[in-house]
Amino acid sequence: MECIPEEPMFGEGSLAEKAVWEALRAQLPDDVVLAHSVQVRHGRAEHEIDILVLWPGVGLAAIEVKGGRISVEQGQWYQSDRQGPHRIGSPIAQSQGAQHAFKMWVQDQLGAPLVSRFAYMAAFPYSTVPQDWEMAGVPRPLILDSADLRDCREHLRAAIETQAQGGSPLAPSYAQRIARLLSGDLQPASAPSLTALELEDHQEQLTERQKVLLDCSRSIPRARFVGGAGSGKTWLAVEKAKRLAKEGKRVGLFCYNRGLAEHLRRQADGWRQAKPVFVGEFHEYAVSLGVPNGSGQAYFDEEMPALMKDLAADLPPDQKLDAIVIDEAQDFAPLWWESLLACLKDPARGEIYAFMDERQNVYGRWDSLSAGTSLDPTAGLVTLHIDENLRNTKRIAHTFRGFAGKHFAPRGGEGLPVRLVPCSTEDALDVAGDCVDALITEGWANNQIAFLTTKNRHPVHKGFENDTAGYWTAFHDDEEEFYGHVLGFKGLERSVVILCVNGFKDMSRAAELLYVGLSRARCLLVVVGDPVLIAEAGGDDLARAVDRMQEWQPQLDPVPGNSVP
């Protein structure tokens, strides 16, 4: 028997419909078509047929189902349920209206009137109606009560043949034409860009659920939120800064990377209410306070924070901060922390919130802590762990699980297989470029793709050497594919990431670079490079993950005019 849908969803308020449906499905012949909850419009009027029966060789029936105890007094219909008896409209009239609307709709769709026998009926699975009962306009055969449903095949056939409008049986071919209209089968084109949108909406919903961590920790003035890649730390940092600003506090929202700083600024720019007094990079904040903008790594790592700390001592109280929020806090050197604390109105008790992943220490700024030569600036903060991965699909998350710690818990959808494109390190840049074209041919939108290198930059990336602001504006405007380096993409993400493993400048930092690169893709990850080098750099866990990847060779459309001899 064809059922539309195959397994209807009957809620708590649809138990009567379920009882009638199951009786009909169990007793009617296999060539009958049953449809549940058929919605019909006739002009502006909306109708619903609870159960529609298409019986080839017999006819059609539109059945209105009413649960509870059904009664009639002085021409008024009543339905008794848990709340007691209440008035209802005539179920037969309701069924008749829906039947008429359905006939008009079928005629419009098929271009010919529906002339087969078509009965409008009512079913009361929890009521008993005497066989000799009848009222004006409602012959007893049009009612199926609890007893009739035990042998509904013959009762339904008799109702269609003796009470239905129309004079001819329903032709099997016509029944199938109507069934196709009812099924409404829709097979959308396989568009990976749309599939990604649905998956990312789900991931965004999961991320927003993380706000419960902020709700539970609102009375903790100094905390660090420690979580692996994709755990929603940036979203939480932005939300925390928003809440603090809404409370009327002077808040600074800080990070290190320029790309992430632009993302944070764009988030804050969209707020209608209070905003942080500063959003952006640590070094930008130092310059905004009057610290000279020098040059050289030693200046930025040591001299600048020392100058900033000295300057903060003379800042007027109304220019100091009530609270500090730091995203990707592991990128901040210990001296930067000291200078930021000096900018608080109360350095000893002012609010501090750090969002961090110590396993992404790609700049090595916390190496001195491991060596025991520096004190951990976050040691006095209450630690809150974020174990769930929400950004990535499970298949992507499992590639970097070995980096993320034993409590790492992927929560995204299953997703597409991670693709591996084996090639030599020297060829990785060119092969990864072919992957961009092949993915666009597959149906991915170019602005869904990020191309990330682990060593030398892509030529498109090099073209922005003297226009850093334009480079990050282009990324956040989200209009085309993005070419970048793993280091500059910390805290950022795109639907598709092509991780071009074209070598490492420092093998001691290679594992951390791979961890960042592997965790940037929301929906599809493509890893391009030498599997031996990747396994050597990432360790045994990544080696096993590489073995599980789906080997892929990008197929490019042939160039017009070229032919194979």
Side-chain angles (χ1 to χ4, degrees):
M1 177 183 291
E2 181 178 358
C3 295
I4 305 171
E6 185 173 350
E7 294 293 337
M9 297 177 63
F10 296 103
E12 289 186 8
S14 304
L15 296 180
E17 292 177 20
K18 182 179 181 181
V20 176
W21 175 272
E22 291 182 347
L24 294 171
R25 185 168 61 175
Q27 299 179 46
L28 295 181
D30 290 341
D31 60 346
V32 168
V33 177
L34 284 184
H36 175 252
S37 188
V38 178
Q39 308 293 320
V40 188
R41 288 180 63 95
H42 183 218
R44 295 186 177 181
E46 297 181 355
H47 303 267
E48 179 186 12
I49 300 175
D50 289 336
I51 299 177
L52 178 68
V53 180
L54 307 179
W55 193 338
V58 179
L60 302 88
I63 304 175
E64 175 68 20
V65 180
K66 295 295 183 186
R69 291 176 59 250
I70 304 300
S71 59
V72 182
E73 295 181 19
Q74 297 294 315
Q76 173 63 58
W77 291 80
Y78 290 88
Q79 182 179 31
S80 297
D81 51 26
R82 295 174 184 174
Q83 285 73 44
H86 56 273
R87 297 194 301 176
I88 61 172
S90 167
I92 290 295
Q94 193 173 346
S95 180
Q96 184 181 23
Q99 179 234 43
H100 176 71
F102 184 80
K103 290 174 67 174
M104 295 300 100
W105 177 73
V106 168
Q107 179 174 328
D108 292 341
Q109 296 296 312
L110 299 183
L114 176 57
V115 296
S116 302
R117 294 186 294 231
F118 196 167
Y120 50 86
M121 304 178 64
F124 310 144
Y126 306 127
S127 296
T128 300
V129 180
Q131 290 298 319
D132 59 355
W133 176 87
E134 188 165 335
M135 69 178 291
V138 187
R140 176 60 179 84
L142 295 183
I143 303 294
L144 294 174
D145 70 358
S146 59
D148 298 331
L149 287 173
R150 300 191 194 105
D151 186 19
C152 58
R153 174 172 177 155
E154 293 309 316
H155 282 88
L156 182 63
R157 183 180 191 121
I160 295 174
E161 291 180 342
T162 63
Q163 304 295 325
Q165 299 174 349
S168 62
L170 177 63
S173 59
Y174 202 73
Q176 283 304 308
R177 293 179 68 188
I178 296 175
R180 283 193 291 271
L181 292 176
L182 296 173
S183 66
D185 290 345
L186 173 64
Q187 298 296 331
S190 179
S193 58
L194 296 177
T195 302
L197 287 176
E198 181 182 11
L199 181 61
E200 289 165 19
D201 283 346
H202 173 64
Q203 291 164 340
E204 184 68 21
Q205 184 182 36
L206 288 176
T207 300
E208 289 189 9
R209 281 171 33 193
Q210 294 283 60
K211 67 175 62 175
V212 69
L213 293 172
L214 301 182
D215 297 337
C216 295
S217 61
R218 61 179 177 269
S219 61
I220 301 175
R222 294 191 164 203
R224 62 174 193 166
F225 295 77
V226 179
S231 56
K233 297 186 299 297
T234 294
W235 188 94
L236 286 168
V238 172
E239 179 67 16
K240 186 63 178 181
K242 184 177 184 179
R243 294 184 180 195
L244 292 168
K246 194 174 179 180
E247 293 172 7
K249 296 174 180 176
R250 287 179 56 81
V251 184
L253 175 57
F254 300 96
C255 68
Y256 171 67
N257 273 6
R258 288 184 178 180
L260 180 55
E262 179 65 18
H263 170 72
L264 298 179
R265 277 192 289 268
R266 292 192 179 209
Q267 292 293 306
D269 286 345
W271 300 347
R272 295 182 179 180
Q273 300 179 0
K275 300 178 182 181
V277 296
F278 179 83
V279 180
E281 302 167 70
F282 166 79
H283 297 102
E284 289 180 318
Y285 183 63
V287 171
S288 74
L289 296 180
V291 177
N293 194 358
S295 61
Q297 199 62 44
Y299 176 80
F300 289 115
D301 287 352
E302 300 175 14
E303 293 180 49
M304 176 177 269
L307 291 170
M308 178 175 162
K309 183 177 179 181
D310 291 341
L311 187 150
D314 298 324
L315 276 178
D318 63 351
Q319 292 186 29
K320 290 194 172 185
L321 302 172
D322 296 305
I324 291 170
V325 180
I326 306 175
D327 190 26
E328 299 288 351
Q330 75 280 352
D331 294 344
F332 278 49
L335 289 177
W336 300 4
W337 281 84
E338 291 181 20
S339 60
L340 273 181
L341 290 176
C343 295
L344 285 169
K345 292 177 182 177
D346 185 347
R349 289 183 293 273
E351 294 184 70
I352 305 170
Y353 302 96
F355 297 82
M356 59 195 302
D357 179 1
E358 295 119 320
R359 297 170 184 268
Q360 293 190 57
N361 180 31
V362 294
Y363 300 108
R365 296 202 173 97
W366 289 54
D367 289 351
S368 59
L369 304 183
S370 302
T373 58
S374 296
L375 297 177
D376 184 352
T378 69
L381 307 183
V382 175
T383 300
L384 301 170
H385 291 284
I386 316 172
D387 297 326
E388 294 183 322
N389 171 274
L390 310 174
R391 173 200 297 142
N392 315 101
T393 65
K394 288 180 180 176
R395 282 174 163 166
I396 294 172
H398 283 302
T399 65
F400 58 84
R401 184 168 196 151
F403 300 115
K406 64 181 181 179
H407 298 294
F408 180 73
R411 294 287 185 253
E414 191 67 21
L416 298 167
V418 175
R419 302 183 190 183
L420 174 68
V421 184
C423 67
S424 68
T425 303
E426 294 74 20
D427 292 336
L429 210 59
D430 290 336
V431 174
D434 291 341
C435 292
V436 175
D437 297 331
L439 290 170
I440 292 173
T441 299
E442 282 185 16
W444 293 98
N446 59 349
N447 66 347
Q448 291 181 302
I449 300 171
F451 181 118
L452 304 180
T453 59
T454 56
K455 189 178 180 183
N456 298 327
R457 292 176 296 172
H458 188 277
V460 173
H461 187 183
K462 290 181 180 179
F464 283 93
E465 269 182 330
N466 300 316
D467 185 16
T468 303
Y471 175 70
W472 286 112
T473 297
F475 169 75
H476 290 288
D477 285 347
D478 203 25
E479 294 178 351
E480 55 190 16
E481 62 265 27
F482 175 78
Y483 295 85
H485 191 278
V486 167
L487 283 177
F489 212 66
K490 287 181 85 277
L492 302 176
E493 57 193 52
R494 267 206 175 171
S495 300
V496 181
V497 166
I498 301 170
L499 180 59
C500 175
V501 185
N502 59 339
F504 303 98
K505 290 182 179 179
D506 181 359
M507 280 297 288
S508 67
R509 302 248 81 94
E512 289 154 333
L513 285 176
L514 287 172
Y515 177 29
V516 174
L518 293 167
S519 60
R520 299 302 102 190
R522 293 189 293 257
C523 299
L524 175 63
L525 173 63
V526 181
V527 180
V528 181
D530 181 356
V532 175
L533 174 64
I534 295 169
E536 178 187 351
D540 293 341
D541 286 329
L542 182 57
R544 286 188 287 270
V546 168
D547 288 340
R548 293 193 300 268
M549 293 179 186
Q550 181 184 76
E551 192 166 320
W552 180 58
Q553 292 298 329
Q555 299 297 316
L556 303 180
D557 289 337
V559 177
N562 287 359
S563 58
V564 179

